[in-house]
Amino acid sequence: MDKGIWIDGPVNKGVMKFLKGLLENNAMDAVLMPGKNKTGDSNAWFFLDRDGLDESASPFPPVMTTQGAKMVSYLTKKNGSWKKTGVLLRPCELRAVIELAKLKQVDLTNLVLISYDCPGAFPLKEYLSGNQQELDMAFETSLGTQTDPEGLRNVCSICSNFTGSGADIEIGLIGADSKGFWLIPGTEQGEELLKKTEESNSFKSLESRDKLVEAKSVQRKEKRETTLDSFQQSVNGPENLMTVLSSCINCHNCSRVCPICFCRECYFDSRALNSGADEMLRRADRKQGLRLLPDLLLFHMGRMTHMSISCVSCGACEDACPADIPVSMLFTVAARDTRKIFDYEPGRDIDEALPYSVFNFEELKNFEAPYTRQYSKQ
Amino acid sequence: MTDNGYEPKIVAFLCNWCTFTAADLAGTSRIKYQPNIRIIKVMCSSRVDPVFILKALLDGADGVLIGGCAPGDCHYSKGNFYARRKVALAKTLAQNMGLDTDRIRLSWIPASEGPKFAGVVNEFTEKIKKIGANPAGQEVFI
Amino acid sequence: METFINSRMTISEFIAAIFDKRETAGVAAMAKLPSGNKAAYTLFTDKKSAENSIPFFPAMPVNAAKAVSKFTRQASPSKEVAMFLRPCELRALTELVKIKQAGLDNLLLISFDCGGVFPFKEISISDEEKLKSYVDAFKNGKNCEGIRPVCAACTKFVPKENQADIVISLIGRKPHDPLVMSFPTEKGKNTAKALGIDLPDKTHTSPVAPSTAVESLFKEREEKEKKLKEKIKTGFADTGGLVSMFDRCISCHACSYVCPICYCKNCYFDSQTFEYFSESYFIRMGEKGALRLPVDRTLFHVGRLSHMGLSCVACGMCEDACPVNIPVSQIFKTIGSEAQAVFDYIPGKDLNEALPLLTYSESELETFED
């Protein structure tokens, strides 16, 4: 798209008005979006109709308490949404929704996906214990100006998929310079809906935005590579990795908050890894000591094989880790190379098959070791 | 909400053998009782996990009635003694977490006592009407 | 009351002696990890590697009862294994044995006076100052600054003697002194004999009296416990209090995962029972026009209390693992103990005491009937 509806004025208010408009003219029946919790010291998700919208919603949370894709999964896992529901998601949440749809944990029927240019999020624990007013202010400013606020999560500061492209409706903020925002249709459904808004004919060219997005993307990609390179150095080898993971208490909370880890009973909690006491004693004997609970490294590396290809680097795991391990960075690094092999980007396209579910006859030859000895010599 | 016009919703877990049969009897005997209860039949009052009671209260039920056979008369011989312990647990937790325990009622109603069933329901409904609506029902953040 | 006697061994000598003289297949205790600065509960099978163990290290990265459960649930060891447990871990283990999630066969349970632990995030082996002040406070029978709130308010810090085979008395004593122990069980007494520790019936060992520091610590903690319970109770004034107590909760269920008592592999609250059809969300949004997601957030906590509150040993793991700093353990300790009082039940007190919901008497609790 090269054009978007331009709406003047503060972003927060404008977006709320836009959503309310859609609910009021029955283009949508409900909306799933973030809001403040009761005490006002944290964020939560809300499922709202037009009456509840004003009371509970705040569209752009400075933290990610729970991953939005998980909420979409709760709502649509058993059956598709009953009525038309708009969902306001961060770009990484949007990508997770698409991955979950591929994994059949989300039904996209009757959903309108709305996303925005995300300035990132603060680490949850630091937000909860920090000066929230200041952080809220900093976040709001950076939402308008699209500069990185101080104290962003590591994964957010190297995120190169910061726009809501792929959504039905994209809220364009980059280049808007706090003066307003664009509503950019991404799909036919989005276009239809945008026709129903009040300002449906105030189009404005997206040229300036596209340039800035491109520039930020290049800059972020560069930063991403260098940051990940140096992080990879610091965790390379069993010794370094075990040092990083030494504070892990094997609580598996990273997997519980992960939007991609959808299994109700995780393999690493299953009986497959149980063993009798004597077997554990033998293991302890071999390794001069067995940490209890066991299989800590296996859990992390195994989880990497299970979900890292679909990992959207949303950082929920790191936020929820009670031991402050840089889990999200670890998984981002792990996923970097595997993705290159399969030329796969999670959440890029709903029609792109999961790498493990398809194959080509002629591919990945460099992972085969050719048989070199000659039979004939015998 | 005040007394007039306010119709509470009461969830009733009734044991198949006594209290549910008593409810049936009340019906066939054409005894009128308050229409506020929503009956869920369970095979034995001991099937009522404390979580059932708490879930009903947190999701906005104004009252929860658990009905079982009189002590000693349980179809499974001792289920209702376990039920009493479970209700005691649920009530204690509810009380300590700021939920109104007057909204939970455990009553023994034998199969042959249709009038008693109607009486208990009427009495409980009156009481709940007096207490008023369950605030948890209107609580968005719960 | 068992008699405490001077073993004339330091802790490392004691562990070495267990391997040498008792033909033990393994020892499990807190130990320094090979990489990094942290300690973890570790199983050792030889004397040499066991030198890394530091059984009294004030952190609880896992409730050891959970480790014992993992170790013995499928099959108990065929040879003796000695395991160090804090008093609350010992109580949790007793509860786990009752619910058939752990076995005690071939285990030699060693417990010790507990001065509490720091939140595991806030203590590592290199924190010498913190560890020093911990030891000092311990010796004087005082709470150390910075230990977890539930630990500071725990009055059951002396292991009950009929649970452990060997009890080490630490409070009021100096850290590098030879250990003062008692051997309440037959297994413990046999161990003492094998280790060459003279039991008090032999004339030349004078029994060591338990220290007065225990009493002063008990008093301090009793006071703290009272205050903690008051604080939590005022927090739960009404339905609003319940909501705000768990307002920050992100429904990650970490508290249940690290809880030693919450043993279910597929938690009821993660089960299909709590998955709803899409229509249900619209209906529940209903009149209110708003529904907070994930749903059943408060119910999870209240319901979990009803499932395990009667067995809650207030070990504090849940609070340690909570990523959003909800005082979970303080809440569960306070409300759990109220529920325990109704049934006159103390979790972990006695292996032969039936779980409250698995027993009844015909005339009781009549006040709960209408």
Side-chain angles (χ1 to χ4, degrees), chain B residues 51 54-55 58-59 78 81-82 84-85 89 92-93 96 98 105-108 137 139-142, chain C residues 236 238-239 276 284 288 296-299 302 306-307 338 342-343 356-357 359-362 364 369-370:
Chain B
V51 175
L54 298 166
K55 164 105 176 145
L58 290 180
D59 280 354
K78 50 196 178 181
F81 292 121
Y82 290 112
R84 185 167 58 193
R85 288 204 151 214
L89 174 62
T92 311
L93 292 179
N96 283 290
R105 174 171 177 149
L106 171 71
S107 286
W108 310 128
E139 180 58 78
V140 171
F141 294 90
I142 210 147
Chain C
F236 281 107
D238 50 20
T239 316
Y276 306 102
R284 286 174 81 172
K288 294 185 264 187
D296 301 322
R297 189 184 80 271
T298 317
L299 178 74
V302 184
S306 85
H307 282 175
E338 292 288 327
V342 171
F343 301 100
L357 294 188
T359 183
Y360 67 90
S361 70
E362 291 193 2
E364 59 166 7
E369 299 168 9
D370 286 292

Side-chain angles (χ1 to χ4, degrees), chain C residues 6 18 25 37 60 63 65 71 82 106 111 120 134 136 142 146 181 185 257 265-266 292 296 328 366:
Chain C
N6 190 336
I18 291 180
N37 238 333
M60 194 193 282
N63 185 304
F71 185 58
N106 276 334
S111 191
F120 64 76
Y134 181 78
D136 284 346
K142 283 197 178 103
M181 306 183 183
T185 65
Y257 196 94
K265 189 158 281 166
N266 192 346
R292 180 170 169 176
D296 301 322
V328 198
E366 268 142 12

Side-chain angles (χ1 to χ4, degrees), chain A residues 39 45 264 269 278 290 292, chain C residues 41 43 78 247 257 275 293:
Chain A
T39 329
W45 282 86
R264 184 173 292 128
D269 293 331
D278 286 344
L290 176 69
L292 297 176
Chain C
Y41 197 70
L43 176 67
S78 48
D247 204 21
Y257 196 94
E275 262 171 26
L293 292 179

Side-chain angles (χ1 to χ4, degrees), chain C residues 10-280:
Chain C
T10 63
I11 181 68
S12 44
E13 286 165 352
F14 173 65
I15 292 175
I18 291 180
F19 275 114
D20 281 345
K21 301 191 177 147
R22 184 74 192 166
E23 294 197 2
T24 297
V27 167
M30 287 295 290
K32 187 182 175 330
L33 281 169
S35 2
N37 238 333
K38 292 281 186 177
Y41 197 70
T42 313
L43 176 67
F44 295 109
T45 51
D46 62 289
K47 193 167 71 170
K48 180 92 184 41
S49 343
E51 279 169 11
N52 283 325
S53 58
I54 32 173
F56 310 135
F57 187 75
M60 194 193 282
V62 62
N63 185 304
K66 212 177 170 70
V68 178
S69 167
K70 186 92 184 167
F71 185 58
T72 60
R73 188 167 53 198
Q74 195 153 350
S76 286
S78 48
K79 281 172 86 185
E80 188 177 84
V81 173
M83 302 190 103
F84 282 86
L85 295 120
R86 292 181 180 278
C88 58
E89 295 170 328
L90 201 58
R91 277 177 275 139
L93 180 59
T94 306
E95 292 299 294
L96 280 172
V97 173
K98 285 187 200 173
I99 44 184
K100 309 215 179 352
Q101 297 302 312
L104 296 179
D105 294 348
N106 276 334
L107 295 188
L108 181 71
L109 301 177
I110 305 167
S111 191
F112 47 92
D113 294 351
C114 175
V117 300
F118 295 95
F120 64 76
K121 215 166 33 177
E122 286 163 30
I123 187 83
S124 54
I125 290 173
S126 53
D127 287 339
E128 276 166 27
E129 237 168 76
K130 248 184 191 177
L131 292 171
K132 191 176 172 299
S133 70
Y134 181 78
V135 168
D136 284 346
F138 210 78
K139 195 180 72 194
N140 301 327
K142 283 197 178 103
N143 269 337
C144 177
E145 192 78 18
I147 58 171
R148 306 186 302 189
V150 265
C151 289
C154 169
T155 51
K156 295 178 184 139
F157 53 89
V158 176
K160 276 278 169 284
E161 310 222 352
N162 52 359
Q163 293 168 326
D165 299 309
I166 299 173
V167 172
I168 302 172
S169 160
L170 290 175
I171 291 175
R173 308 193 192 274
K174 285 183 196 134
H176 302 299
D177 280 0
L179 300 177
V180 174
M181 306 183 183
S182 77
F183 305 90
T185 65
E186 209 45 47
K187 206 191 265 180
K189 290 195 171 74
N190 289 338
T191 312
K193 266 180 220 149
L195 264 50
I197 297 168
D198 295 319
L199 293 173
D201 53 325
K202 304 248 174 87
T203 42
H204 58 273
T205 319
S206 58
V208 185
S211 112
T212 50
V214 174
E215 266 170 52
S216 88
L217 185 59
F218 184 84
K219 270 196 191 124
E220 181 181 349
R221 290 198 171 178
E222 208 176 26
E223 195 60 35
K224 276 253 164 68
E225 187 177 28
K226 222 173 104 192
K227 273 191 197 142
L228 181 147
K229 286 185 173 173
E230 261 166 38
K231 187 189 83 186
I232 294 296
K233 277 184 189 165
T234 42
F236 281 107
D238 50 20
T239 316
L242 173 63
V243 174
S244 53
M245 272 289 187
F246 298 111
D247 204 21
R248 279 179 172 190
C249 175
I250 60 167
S251 298
C252 69
H253 297 190
C255 41
S256 114
Y257 196 94
V258 297
C259 174
I261 309 297
C262 268
Y263 66 89
C264 299
K265 189 158 281 166
N266 192 346
C267 174
Y268 179 56
F269 298 99
D270 292 331
S271 74
Q272 283 207 24
T273 309
F274 294 92
E275 262 171 26
Y276 306 102
F277 286 103
S278 162
E279 288 85 338
S280 162

Side-chain angles (χ1 to χ4, degrees), chain A residues 29-30 32 37-49 51-52 56 65-66 71 74-75 77-83 85 124-125 128 239 242-243 246-247 249-253 256-257 264-265 269-271 273-278 280-281 284-285 288-294 319-320 322-324, chain C residues 25-26 28 33-38 40-46 49 61-62 66-67 70-79 81 83 120-121 240 243-244 247-248 250 252-254 257-258 265-266 270-272 275-279 281-283 285-286 288-294 317 320-324:
Chain A
D29 299 287
L32 176 64
N37 68 351
K38 191 175 195 182
T39 329
D41 64 354
S42 185
N43 268 86
W45 282 86
F46 290 91
F47 189 50
L48 305 161
D49 64 12
D51 301 325
S56 309
T65 45
T66 35
M71 303 306 115
Y74 286 139
L75 202 67
K77 193 185 203 167
K78 281 198 117 168
N79 57 345
S81 182
W82 187 31
K83 293 178 184 171
T85 305
L124 180 58
K125 272 163 264 182
L128 289 177
E239 171 71 25
M242 282 318 285
T243 307
S246 65
S247 46
I249 58 162
N250 221 343
C251 72
H252 296 197
N253 211 25
R256 291 164 156 255
V257 296
R264 184 173 292 128
E265 197 191 323
D269 293 331
S270 76
R271 289 181 67 156
L273 299 186
N274 279 2
S275 56
D278 286 344
M280 285 167 98
L281 282 167
D285 205 23
Q288 281 93 50
L290 176 69
R291 185 173 173 177
L292 297 176
L293 315 166
D319 266 354
D324 294 340
Chain C
L33 281 169
S35 2
N37 238 333
K38 292 281 186 177
Y41 197 70
T42 313
L43 176 67
F44 295 109
T45 51
D46 62 289
S49 343
V62 62
K66 212 177 170 70
K70 186 92 184 167
F71 185 58
T72 60
R73 188 167 53 198
Q74 195 153 350
S76 286
S78 48
K79 281 172 86 185
V81 173
M83 302 190 103
F120 64 76
K121 215 166 33 177
V243 174
S244 53
D247 204 21
R248 279 179 172 190
I250 60 167
C252 69
H253 297 190
Y257 196 94
V258 297
K265 189 158 281 166
N266 192 346
D270 292 331
S271 74
Q272 283 207 24
E275 262 171 26
Y276 306 102
F277 286 103
S278 162
E279 288 85 338
Y281 286 95
F282 282 89
I283 292 162
M285 172 171 66
K288 294 185 264 187
L291 180 67
R292 180 170 169 176
L293 292 179
M317 270 314 291
D320 252 8
C322 179
V324 292

Side-chain angles (χ1 to χ4, degrees), chain B residues 5-38:
Chain B
Y6 163 58
E7 291 297 339
K9 285 195 181 98
I10 295 170
V11 178
F13 296 100
L14 305 184
C15 108
N16 178 56
W17 304 101
C18 290
T19 317
F20 189 83
T21 315
D24 242 1
L25 183 63
T28 46
S29 323
R30 300 190 165 212
I31 303 169
K32 270 197 184 164
Y33 57 85
Q34 296 285 336
N36 301 68
I37 66 165
R38 314 284 191 272

